[in-house]
């Protein structure tokens, strides 16, 4: 058994932190999914920047779009959406088989909007509408200005991957924004289940203190931060607030199942 398969069978989801056009065209991503048990993929502007700069795979598409008068971020997001919608289609079977637990890909809003709530909300809605994929997360930074955008996106039914989280306090703030969005959907009698994940940076803690701590503590700070954040996550799952949302989701699912049963009689 491949180590990645064994890891997957233990209940861990393996997500690829990379996307290139050649990864799609050569069927390498298909290999990752079907042979190495990779169940998701994430991206960011830096990953795309490297992919575009370090290959000729995008040259023709860029020339064509420039000829159409497109440039800057407009051109970038067209390229990114082309790659990520194709990747989402490849992961769709995983998404369906796991009932939306896995099989996701992620597209990040412009980093230039990290401190602009109104523009972030507008871009999130635009990218989601253009992608037209149920298994595509829109990445929103967990900044002070990003929190209202997270709430608004969840209320609008847009799956969100919260990024730029570095500790448990930031995670809790993002989780509360998520909960507010869900609670607003419940009050509006909308389906309360909206996909969301929180992406916690781990390695950057150890990079920041490399050479500044005793050798015995090398590569330990990130693990400690991850454990604190996981503890906060477990606390949230056991809270009355979460249980209310969970029960509302269960009632909604039961109602949906009843309607389906009636329609098939």
């Amino acid at each position: 058994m491949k180590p990645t398969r064994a890891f997957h069978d233990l209940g861990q989801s393996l997500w690829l932190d990379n996307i290139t056009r050649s990864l799609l065209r050569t069927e390498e991503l298909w290999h990752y999914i079907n042979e190495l048990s990779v169940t998701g993929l994430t991206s960011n502007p830096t990953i795309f920047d490297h992919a575009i700069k370090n290959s000729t795979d995008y040259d023709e598409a860029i020339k064509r779009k420039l000829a159409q008068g497109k440039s800057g971020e407009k051109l970038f997001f067209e390229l990114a959406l082309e790659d990520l919608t194709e990747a989402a289609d490849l992961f769709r079977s995983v998404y369906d088989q796991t009932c939306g637990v896995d099989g996701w890909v992620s597209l990040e809003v412009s980093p230039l909007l990290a401190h602009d709530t109104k523009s972030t909300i507008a871009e999130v809605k635009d990218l989601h509408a253009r992608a037209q994929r149920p298994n595509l997360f829109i990445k929103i930074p967990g900044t002070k200005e990003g929190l209202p955008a997270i709430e608004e996106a969840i209320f609008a039914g847009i799956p969100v991957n919260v990024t730029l989280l570095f500790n448990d306090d930031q995670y809790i703030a993002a989780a509360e924004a998520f909960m507010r969005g869900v609670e607003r959907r419940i009050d509006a009698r909308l389906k309360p289940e909206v996909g969301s994940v929180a992406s916690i940076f781990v390695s950057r803690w150890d990079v920041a203190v490399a050479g500044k701590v005793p050798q015995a503590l090398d590569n330990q700070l990130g693990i400690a931060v991850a454990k604190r954040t996981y503890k906060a996550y477990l606390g949230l799952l056991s809270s009355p607030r979460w249980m209310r949302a969970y029960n509302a989701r269960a009632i909604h699912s039961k109602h949906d199942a009843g309607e389906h049963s009636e329609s098939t009689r």
Side-chain angles (χ1 to χ4, degrees):
M1 179 183 293
K2 293 183 176 66
T4 51
R5 178 67 192 182
F7 194 61
H8 173 272
D9 289 350
L10 288 173
Q12 295 298 309
S13 297
L14 300 172
W15 285 20
L16 184 66
D17 192 22
N18 189 29
I19 181 70
T20 66
R21 195 147 289 191
S22 64
L23 195 68
L24 298 164
R25 299 294 182 265
T26 62
E27 297 189 352
E28 186 175 1
L29 184 56
W30 183 94
H31 172 76
Y32 280 128
I33 296 169
N34 292 281
E35 301 296 331
L36 298 179
S37 304
V38 170
T39 55
L41 178 149
T42 188
S43 70
N44 59 49
T46 300
I47 288 173
F48 273 108
D49 181 61
H50 289 165
I52 294 169
K53 283 182 177 179
N54 297 325
S55 77
T56 60
D57 296 337
Y58 297 85
D59 291 358
E60 288 303 316
I62 291 173
K63 290 177 183 178
R64 185 171 61 254
K65 294 179 189 302
L66 286 172
Q68 296 169 351
K70 299 167 184 174
S71 62
E73 285 197 343
K74 185 174 182 179
L75 188 155
F76 162 75
F77 277 115
E78 286 207 3
L79 294 174
L81 280 166
E82 287 173 358
D83 283 3
L84 288 171
T85 53
E86 186 172 343
D89 290 342
L90 286 172
F91 279 106
R92 182 60 188 268
S93 61
V94 178
Y95 174 83
D96 291 338
Q97 290 165 10
T98 62
C99 298
V101 172
D102 251 323
W104 293 92
V105 302
S106 296
L107 172 64
E108 188 168 344
V109 297
S110 169
L112 301 177
L113 304 180
H115 301 291
D116 185 339
T117 301
K118 185 177 179 180
S119 296
T120 295
I121 292 172
E123 186 161 284
V124 166
K125 291 182 177 180
D126 176 64
L127 292 174
H128 174 70
R130 290 165 63 188
Q132 291 290 307
R133 297 296 189 280
N135 58 327
L136 188 141
F137 281 130
I138 304 297
K139 273 188 173 181
I140 302 177
T143 58
K144 178 181 177 182
E145 297 82 0
L147 296 177
I150 295 165
E151 176 185 340
E152 191 61 33
I154 294 299
F155 176 62
I158 299 173
V160 171
N161 179 345
V162 184
T163 187
L164 289 186
L165 300 178
F166 295 92
N167 57 48
D168 53 325
D169 289 336
Q170 287 181 301
Y171 164 74
I172 288 296
E176 288 180 345
F178 164 78
M179 288 299 300
R180 288 193 296 271
V182 170
E183 288 164 349
R184 287 172 60 192
R185 289 185 65 82
I186 293 171
D187 291 341
R189 298 184 179 277
L190 298 171
K191 182 179 178 181
E193 188 172 10
V194 182
S196 178
V197 295
S199 296
I200 309 295
F201 283 106
V202 175
S203 62
R204 293 193 185 187
W205 282 103
D206 295 308
V207 172
V209 300
K212 302 176 184 178
V213 296
Q215 186 175 3
L217 297 179
D218 281 347
N219 300 318
Q220 296 301 308
L221 181 57
I223 295 174
V225 170
K227 287 181 176 180
R228 283 176 60 112
T229 305
Y230 185 65
K231 183 178 180 180
Y233 161 74
L234 293 177
L236 176 66
L237 291 188
S238 63
S239 69
R241 185 179 184 186
W242 179 269
M243 291 307 299
R244 284 195 297 272
Y246 179 84
N247 289 334
R249 186 179 69 174
I251 291 171
H252 191 281
S253 297
K254 185 176 180 180
H255 176 70
D256 282 352
E259 286 189 343
H260 177 72
S261 176
E262 288 291 338
S263 67
T264 56
R265 288 177 184 172

